[in-house]
Amino acid sequence: MAYEAQFYPGATSVAENRRKHMSGKVEKLREISDDDLTIILGHRVPGTDYPSTHPPLAEMGEPECSIREMVEPTDGAKAGDRIRYVQFVDSMYNAPSTPYFRSYNAAINFRGVDPGTLSGRQVVEARERDMEELAKFQLETEMTCPALACLRGASVHGHSLRLQEDGVMFDMLERVRLENGTIIVQKDLVGRPIDKKVDLGKPMSDEEAAKRTTIYRVDNVPYREDKEVLEWVHRIFEQRTTYGYKPAVQE
Amino acid sequence: METSASDTKKPIQIEIFPKRMIKPDTVERLLNKICSLEGILRAFIQGPRLPTKVPFGPAVGTPVHHPLRTNVHFGETEMGLEILVGRITLELAEKEVMEEINVICEDTLPCGFDIREGRFIQTRQTVSDYAKRGPKADPALYGLYDPKSKVESQVNFLRTNEKE
């Protein structure tokens, strides 16, 4: 029988959601068109070709290399796309994902991506079309609630603040706004107004966000209730300390 | 036996901490009701700043036009609100007003809130205050403004005595 990765221990809903995010088996909740995504990201004008930094690999004539023969280049690398970034910010108030789990999701399920994990934001650098594929996946699925997560290139500090009265994560540049019950994007990643407003759909209710979150919280699923996770975290820390990441020494 | 400020007739300080950041119209309603009470000596609002322009990044200098950065009215005083209000600190002449403040908060705030008693506004000059304002600074203004800024830009007097 083929080995099936388990990804994360634990029996709580949070642990289950963490497994979902890591494995990429997440529910698709909304549809965002390619043009809308391009507008939000603001790296190029919608409908235009991807600018490139080098000719397509097929035309370049690559040097003889066993690694190049073994590894299939991604679509972006094949076409010679520029490296561009996408950055997500997730609220600490039951946002569905967190920087760590966005990074796990990117690194496990996508090729040619360079995830960067920070306390309040998570950035992925990749060839432009590869980055867009990942951004679209994370934006369309249950990994993102439009009110509790946001695409932000600068000024991310709202993630750690209380939510606004209307339940939207604070943003001093007001890139998204709650209008008639749906979240409307009106500025791109860095705060430039965009020509067309993009509708990201309804935000999750408090109950749904609490159900889909990957964050342990005392007022939702407390970390210490997940005995299996605690046991494994203790085991890893103990072995790291005692055996310096060499569990084989233990035996 | 120790005596706290609430046991004596010294002013006490309380902090109203809502579970959500509150909108300007809610702030206006809340503070108007609170200001109508007798015994409120000083009020201090705090929250994240709402800039007029993008402060950094590739879009630096682009106007933000944040709808929550607006003018609010307290009685006849108009005040430009440059922050999204996250907490309100009040200095009270007596502890008895707290009950009324609690009722006002329950009526006005759309979310849960905590009210804590403690020391939230400084009562003595810091070195920076002293260097900026000198020894004759008004003690009522301690802690209500940033020493680097002008008092008028950060402090509003709602009730002023005409003789003064």
Side-chain angles (χ1 to χ4, degrees):
Chain A
M1 195 175 77
Y3 172 74
E4 204 170 307
Q6 296 174 38
F7 295 110
Y8 200 82
T12 57
S13 64
V14 173
E16 179 57 37
N17 292 335
R18 289 183 172 201
R19 280 193 284 274
K20 279 188 196 172
H21 286 213
M22 290 173 84
S23 64
K25 291 173 185 165
V26 280
E27 191 183 340
K28 188 171 174 177
L29 297 181
R30 60 191 75 86
E31 195 82 44
I32 291 160
S33 72
D34 292 345
D35 279 356
D36 284 351
L37 180 69
T38 312
I39 291 172
I40 301 172
L41 291 170
H43 293 312
R44 66 188 170 94
V45 178
T48 55
D49 287 342
Y50 290 97
S52 58
T53 51
H54 60 76
L57 289 181
E59 294 173 18
M60 279 177 67
E62 291 188 89
E64 201 171 307
C65 170
S66 55
I67 300 296
R68 285 174 196 246
E69 284 166 16
M70 271 195 296
V71 181
E72 166 87 14
T74 62
D75 291 343
K78 270 185 202 167
D81 287 355
R82 305 174 298 179
I83 300 286
R84 282 295 174 268
Y85 77 97
V86 60
Q87 185 165 265
F88 281 89
V89 176
D90 296 285
S91 170
M92 289 164 63
Y93 285 84
N94 283 345
S97 201
T98 59
Y100 255 106
F101 287 89
R102 283 193 190 278
S103 283
Y104 283 135
N105 176 271
I108 294 170
N109 300 289
F110 294 87
R111 296 173 59 232
V113 293
D114 179 10
T117 320
L118 297 105
S119 58
R121 58 199 167 100
Q122 192 265 348
V123 62
V124 173
E125 289 180 355
R127 301 281 189 156
E128 195 161 354
R129 69 190 76 193
D130 301 337
M131 176 276 292
E132 285 183 3
E133 185 192 351
L134 174 135
K136 196 170 181 191
F137 176 85
Q138 296 200 350
L139 211 51
E140 284 185 335
T141 59
E142 61 175 309
M143 290 184 71
T144 300
C145 164
L148 300 174
C150 189
L151 286 169
R152 296 184 189 178
S155 79
V156 300
H157 74 299
H159 80 281
S160 60
L161 303 181
R162 280 161 288 159
L163 301 176
Q164 290 174 186
E165 213 176 292
D166 54 10
V168 179
M169 176 169 59
F170 172 75
D171 182 5
M172 72 176 188
L173 304 185
E174 227 228 353
R175 275 162 278 224
V176 297
R177 179 183 292 181
L178 185 69
E179 280 182 14
N180 303 322
T182 60
I183 297 287
I184 305 292
V185 185
Q186 50 179 5
K187 291 179 184 173
D188 70 3
L189 275 181
V190 293
R192 285 181 292 238
I194 52 180
D195 298 335
K196 180 193 163 198
K197 289 185 177 178
V198 177
D199 189 345
L200 290 185
K202 285 185 180 177
M204 291 179 185
S205 64
D206 290 349
E207 295 74 29
E208 194 184 357
K211 200 179 80 184
R212 291 189 190 270
T213 187
T214 50
I215 302 172
Y216 287 103
R217 279 181 67 97
V218 173
D219 57 5
N220 186 26
V221 178
Y223 185 53
R224 293 195 176 276
E225 269 185 19
D226 216 328
K227 300 292 180 206
E228 195 185 350
V229 174
L230 266 188
E231 184 189 326
W232 275 94
V233 169
H234 285 165
R235 180 178 154 83
I236 289 166
F237 270 73
E238 188 185 337
Q239 293 198 330
R240 183 181 69 172
T241 310
T242 318
Y243 306 108
Y245 273 133
K246 290 179 186 168
V249 178
Q250 188 184 10
E251 290 154 12
Chain B
M1 197 177 108
E2 288 184 22
T3 53
S4 68
S6 53
D7 299 329
T8 64
K9 287 295 175 190
K10 286 182 185 170
I12 63 163
Q13 293 180 4
I14 61 164
E15 182 186 68
I16 303 168
F17 190 87
K19 296 270 160 50
R20 295 258 169 111
M21 314 284 270
I22 48 181
K23 286 181 177 175
D25 49 347
T26 314
V27 175
E28 194 175 68
R29 272 186 285 129
L30 180 71
L31 286 185
N32 270 316
K33 286 182 184 175
I34 289 177
C35 291
S36 65
L37 299 175
E38 287 297 324
I40 309 289
L41 305 179
R42 303 195 286 170
F44 186 78
I45 54 174
Q46 186 266 342
R49 188 172 164 76
L50 303 169
T52 52
K53 289 178 179 175
V54 177
F56 44 77
V60 65
T62 309
V64 175
H65 301 303
H66 205 297
L68 300 179
R69 188 185 166 111
T70 179
N71 284 356
V72 287
H73 295 84
F74 301 124
E76 291 176 2
T77 311
E78 187 178 0
M79 189 178 100
L81 201 58
E82 297 176 4
I83 57 165
L84 180 62
V85 176
R87 64 181 89 195
I88 298 166
T89 306
L90 301 170
E91 191 169 78
L92 315 176
E94 294 172 342
K95 197 175 182 182
E96 285 67 47
V97 198
M98 271 182 78
E99 272 304 308
E100 292 173 69
I101 291 173
N102 200 29
V103 173
I104 289 174
C105 289
E106 277 175 3
D107 291 345
T108 315
L109 290 176
C111 53
F113 63 91
D114 291 327
I115 295 186
R116 294 186 295 162
E117 188 185 333
R119 176 71 63 83
F120 305 103
I121 312 174
Q122 71 196 55
T123 50
R124 289 188 303 173
Q125 270 190 318
T126 62
V127 174
S128 310
D129 284 335
Y130 187 86
K132 177 81 178 178
R133 309 284 171 206
K136 292 181 181 172
D138 183 355
L141 300 182
Y142 292 164
L144 295 188
Y145 58 86
D146 181 351
K148 288 180 184 168
S149 65
K150 291 182 178 172
V151 174
E152 306 80 51
S153 67
Q154 295 196 338
V155 180
N156 280 274
F157 297 93
L158 299 189
R159 294 173 186 166
T160 50
N161 190 332
E162 285 178 10
K163 286 177 187 172
E164 291 173 3

